[in-house]
C-alpha cells in the first residue's frame, strides 16, 4: 500500500493490576516484550512511522519498541484523561500529515498485520473512521458495534445498551483507524462531558457521522485482540501464542510428538522434517535445520543445529552453540559458545564451552573443557577425527591435533600434536591383599566410635 501511515501506540498505563516493578508492556510473550509484538504487526501492515505514547518506564519501553522497519517518536503522557486524550499526546506526530492514522495498544501482543491492513484498506476506499471489532460468544462487558446498511452507527456500551442491543455479538476492541487528513480536526472535537470527565476515543464514531463522514467496522479474530492486565491473562496470552506458532510450524512440515509440551520463542526457526520430542524449550535465537532431531527435555538458546544433527535427551545448548550436519550432542551434555563439527559426537555427561570440535571427532563421557581460569575464558581446539577418552579434563587454552588420542581420565594442560597419544594421569599401582587390611582398620574404627 502506497499510502503513508502513522501508528499511534498507547503504552502509558501504570500497569497496577500486574503488580510489577516494570511496565506491563515490557513483560515478555515468547521471550519478547509485548510491545515489540505489536510493533511487528504494525510493520507487517506497512506502517513506516510510529508515535509511542509513554508513561512508566518510558525509556525502556521506547527501547523495546525499537524494532527494524519503523521509525519511532516518543511522547510522554503525564495525565490519564481517557483514550482520546492519550492519542492527542501525539499531536505533533499526527500533525505531520499522513494518509492514515492507526491507533493500537501496547498490551495486545497477539495482534497480526491483517486487521490493520483491512482497516487501512477501508480508509483508502473513503471511510473516515474504521473500528476493528471481534465476534464473541461472551460479549458481556464489551461495547457493541451497531451496524446499519454496512456502516457503523454507534458503539454502545453495555450499561447504555437496550436488551436487543445486548444480543449483538460484534464488539469493540478499542483499535481504530482514522483518515489522516481529518484526524486532528475530529480528535479535537472529543469532549469530556461524561460521568468520568474523560475523553473517549470511541466518541469519534458519532463525531465523524455528525460531520457527514463514513464510519465502518472490520473484523478480527477474538484471540488476536486479547489484552493483558494481570499475570493470569499474561499466561493465557502465552498459551494462545504458543498454540498458534506450534500450529504454523507443524503445518510447515515439522513433527512434534506432544506439541503442547514444546515451548517456542518469538524467533524460533525449525526446518522441514525436523522432529521435536516432548518437553523441549526454545529460548531466543535458535535455528534448527531440516531433518534434525531434538530429543525430550532439552533446552536450546542462541544455538544453531544443522541438518540431520541430534540433540539430547536432557541436553542444554547455550548461546553460541553451533552443531554441524549429522553431529550429536547427547544426554546430560552442555555446549556453550562452541562449534561441533560435521558428524562429531558429544555423547553424554560432557561440558564443551568456548571450543572448536572438528569433524567426526568423538568426545567421551564426562569430558570437560576447563575454559575459565577465574578471570578470563580460554579456547579449546580439537581437530578432526580425534578421540577424547572418557572423564578427561582439557585445560584451556589447549589444542588437540587431528586424529589424536587422549587417554581416559587424563588432565591435558599442553597441546597434543596430530596422531599423538596423550596420557595425563597418575600411574596405577596395585597392592595385593591391601583391601583386607583397609577393611579391618575400618571395622576397628567403627567399633571404637560405637563404644564396643
Amino acid at each position: 500500500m502506497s499510502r503513508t501511515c502513522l501508528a499511534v501506540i498507547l503504552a502509558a498505563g501504570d500497569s497496577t493490576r500486574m503488580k510489577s516493578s516494570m511496565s506491563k508492556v515490557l513483560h515478555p510473550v515468547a521471550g519478547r516484550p509485548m510491545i515489540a509484538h505489536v510493533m511487528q504487526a504494525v510493520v507487517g501492515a506497512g506502517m513506516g512511522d510510529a508515535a509511542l505514547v509513554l508513561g512508566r518506564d518510558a525509556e525502556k519501553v521506547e527501547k523495546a519498541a525499537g524494532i527494524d522497519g519503523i521509525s519511532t517518536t516518543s511522547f510522554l503522557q503525564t495525565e490519564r484523561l481517557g483514550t482520546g486524550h492519550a492519542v492527542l499526546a501525539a499531536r505533533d506526530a499526527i500533525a505531520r500529515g499522513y494518509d492514515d492514522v492507526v491507533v493500537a495498544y501496547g498490551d495486545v501482543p497477539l495482534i497480526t498485520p491483517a486487521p490493520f491492513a483491512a482497516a487501512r484498506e477501508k480508509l483508502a476506499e473513503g471511510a473516515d473512521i474504521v473500528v476493528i471489532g471481534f465476534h464473541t460468544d461472551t460479549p458481556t462487558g464489551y461495547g457493541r458495534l451497531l451496524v446499519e446498511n454496512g456502516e457503523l452507527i454507534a458503539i454502545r456500551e453495555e450499561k447504555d445498551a437496550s436488551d436487543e442491543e445486548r444480543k449483538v455479538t460484534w464488539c469493540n476492541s478499542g483499535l481504530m483507524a482514522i483518515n489522516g487528513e481529518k484526524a486532528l480536526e475530529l480528535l479535537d472535537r472529543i469532549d469530556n462531558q461524561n460521568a468520568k470527565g474523560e475523553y473517549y476515543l470511541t466518541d469519534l464514531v458519532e463525531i465523524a457521522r455528525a460531520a457527514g463522514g463514513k464510519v465502518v467496522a472490520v473484523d478480527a479474530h477474538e484471540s488476536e485482540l486479547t489484552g493483558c492486565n494481570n499475570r493470569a491473562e499474561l499466561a493465557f496470552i502465552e498459551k494462545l501464542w504458543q498454540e498458534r506458532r506450534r500450529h504454523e510450524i507443524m503445518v510447515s512440515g515439522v513433527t512434534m510428538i506432544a506439541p503442547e509440551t514444546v515451548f517456542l520463542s518469538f524467533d524460533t526457526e525449525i526446518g522441514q522434517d525436523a522432529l521435536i520430542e516432548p518437553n523441549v524449550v526454545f529460548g531466543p535465537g535458535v535455528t534448527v535445520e531440516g531433518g534434525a532431531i531434538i530429543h525430550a527435555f532439552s533446552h536450546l538458546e542462541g544455538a544453531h543445529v544443522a541438518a540431520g544433527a541430534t540433540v539430547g535427551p536432557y541436553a542444554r545448548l547455550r548461546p553460541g552453540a553451533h552443531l554441524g550436519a549429522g553431529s550429536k550432542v547427547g544426554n546430560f551434555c552442555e555446549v556453550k559458545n562452541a562449534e561441533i563439527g560435521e558428524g562429531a559426537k558429544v555423547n553424554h555427561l560432557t561440558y564443551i564451552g568456548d571450543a572448536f570440535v572438528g569433524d567426526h571427532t568423538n568426545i567421551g563421557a564426562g569430558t570437560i573443557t576447563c575454559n575459565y581460569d577465574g578471570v578470563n575464558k580460554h579456547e579449546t581446539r580439537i581437530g578432526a577425527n580425534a578421540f577424547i577418552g572418557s572423564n578427561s579434563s582439557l585445560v584451556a587454552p589447549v589444542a588437540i591435533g587431528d586424529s589424536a588420542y587422549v587417554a581416559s581420565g587424563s588432565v591435558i594442560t599442553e597441546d597434543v600434536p596430530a596422531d599423538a597419544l596423550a596420557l595425563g594421569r597418575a600411574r596405577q599401582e596395585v597392592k595385593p591383599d591391601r583391601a583386607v587390611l583397609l577393611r579391618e582398620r575400618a571395622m576397628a574404627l567403627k567399633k571404637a566410635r560405637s563404644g564396643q
Side-chain angles (χ1 to χ4, degrees):
M1 185 177 292
S2 61
R3 295 167 62 88
T4 60
C5 184
L6 173 72
V8 179
I9 311 296
L10 305 185
D14 289 327
S15 312
T16 305
R17 284 175 285 177
M18 287 294 284
K19 293 183 168 45
S20 175
S21 60
M22 67 180 182
S23 169
K24 171 173 59 177
V25 300
L26 293 175
H27 284 261
V29 172
R32 191 181 206 186
M34 275 191 269
I35 194 168
H37 287 276
V38 177
M39 298 301 292
Q40 194 66 56
V42 163
V43 170
M47 305 181 217
D49 296 309
L52 307 176
V53 179
L54 307 177
R56 183 182 183 186
D57 294 329
E59 291 185 3
K60 293 179 181 178
V61 174
E62 181 179 36
K63 182 177 180 181
I67 69 170
D68 292 338
I70 193 165
S71 174
T72 62
T73 307
S74 297
F75 300 89
L76 197 62
Q77 185 186 12
T78 56
E79 295 181 282
R80 308 288 188 270
L81 300 177
T83 49
H85 177 264
V87 173
L88 279 173
R91 176 186 293 274
D92 289 348
I94 299 170
R96 294 174 194 155
Y98 292 88
D99 296 316
D100 306 335
V101 174
V102 172
V103 179
Y105 295 85
D107 64 348
V108 188
L110 297 176
I111 192 70
T112 67
F116 293 140
R120 294 191 63 198
E121 188 65 34
K122 292 297 183 182
L123 291 180
E125 293 172 0
D128 288 322
I129 302 292
V130 184
V131 173
I132 297 175
F134 62 97
H135 285 87
T136 178
D137 295 332
T138 55
T140 302
Y142 293 108
R144 309 302 206 276
L145 302 185
L146 306 182
V147 177
E148 288 184 4
N149 300 319
E151 293 196 22
L152 182 65
I153 61 170
I155 300 175
R156 189 81 75 229
E157 297 303 324
E158 178 153 323
K159 60 181 173 39
D160 301 321
S162 67
D163 290 342
E164 195 63 27
E165 289 170 341
R166 287 194 180 101
K167 295 178 182 178
V168 174
T169 59
W170 202 10
C171 299
N172 177 37
S173 72
L175 280 66
M176 184 180 293
I178 309 169
N179 180 333
E181 293 182 0
K182 299 180 181 180
L184 283 180
E185 175 189 350
L186 295 172
L187 288 164
D188 281 332
R189 292 185 185 180
I190 299 175
D191 62 39
N192 65 344
Q193 301 305 303
N194 53 64
K196 289 189 175 182
E198 294 186 351
Y199 299 85
Y200 296 132
L201 190 64
T202 51
D203 288 352
L204 285 182
V205 172
E206 294 183 13
I207 291 171
R209 284 181 58 81
K214 183 178 181 181
V215 181
V216 299
V218 296
D219 198 36
H221 194 278
E222 181 180 3
S223 65
E224 289 192 42
L225 303 171
T226 305
C228 182
N229 292 302
N230 56 49
R231 307 296 180 118
E233 291 176 353
L234 179 63
F236 181 66
I237 287 171
E238 181 76 34
K239 176 178 178 289
L240 293 178
W241 190 96
Q242 293 292 338
E243 289 174 349
R244 183 169 74 186
R245 185 64 183 131
R246 290 176 198 133
H247 179 77
E248 292 170 350
I249 288 177
M250 287 188 288
V251 168
S252 74
V254 174
T255 296
M256 294 185 185
I257 295 174
E260 69 279 6
T261 70
V262 175
F263 291 87
L264 306 160
S265 192
F266 71 96
D267 58 353
T268 304
E269 297 182 12
I270 306 178
Q272 184 176 320
D273 289 323
L275 169 63
I276 313 299
E277 291 187 353
N279 298 295
V280 173
V281 176
F282 294 93
V286 176
T287 298
V288 176
E289 293 186 13
I293 300 174
I294 311 298
H295 290 293
F297 294 98
S298 295
H299 187 287
L300 297 77
E301 179 180 358
H304 186 108
V305 180
T310 62
V311 177
Y314 293 97
R316 184 182 182 194
L317 301 186
R318 291 168 58 191
H322 191 291
L323 277 58
S327 63
K328 179 179 181 180
V329 171
N331 50 293
F332 301 102
C333 291
E334 180 174 336
V335 178
K336 186 270 294 186
N337 189 32
E339 182 173 346
I340 309 299
E342 180 177 342
K345 295 180 180 180
V346 183
N347 277 320
H348 31 226
L349 302 163
T350 292
Y351 171 69
I352 303 294
D354 300 300
F356 172 87
V357 177
D359 296 348
H360 305 292
T361 281
N362 187 89
I363 307 294
T367 296
I368 300 171
T369 56
C370 306
N371 55 324
Y372 185 49
D373 63 8
V375 179
N376 298 305
K377 300 289 181 70
H378 301 283
E379 184 183 47
T380 299
R381 295 191 65 83
I382 304 172
N385 299 297
F387 179 89
I388 310 299
S390 298
N391 202 35
S392 295
S393 297
L394 310 179
V395 182
V398 71
I400 312 296
D402 292 345
S403 301
Y405 269 59
V406 171
S408 297
S410 294
V411 177
I412 302 299
T413 59
E414 298 179 3
D415 291 352
V416 179
D419 294 312
L421 168 64
L423 298 95
R425 62 194 184 201
R427 181 178 297 277
Q428 178 176 319
E429 294 186 37
V430 177
K431 306 291 185 180
D433 300 322
R434 183 64 61 88
V436 176
L437 177 60
L438 292 176
R439 280 194 297 271
E440 290 174 349
R441 287 179 178 176
M443 290 301 295
L445 180 60
K446 183 177 181 180
K447 290 178 180 180
R449 288 177 174 173
S450 63
Q452 296 180 358

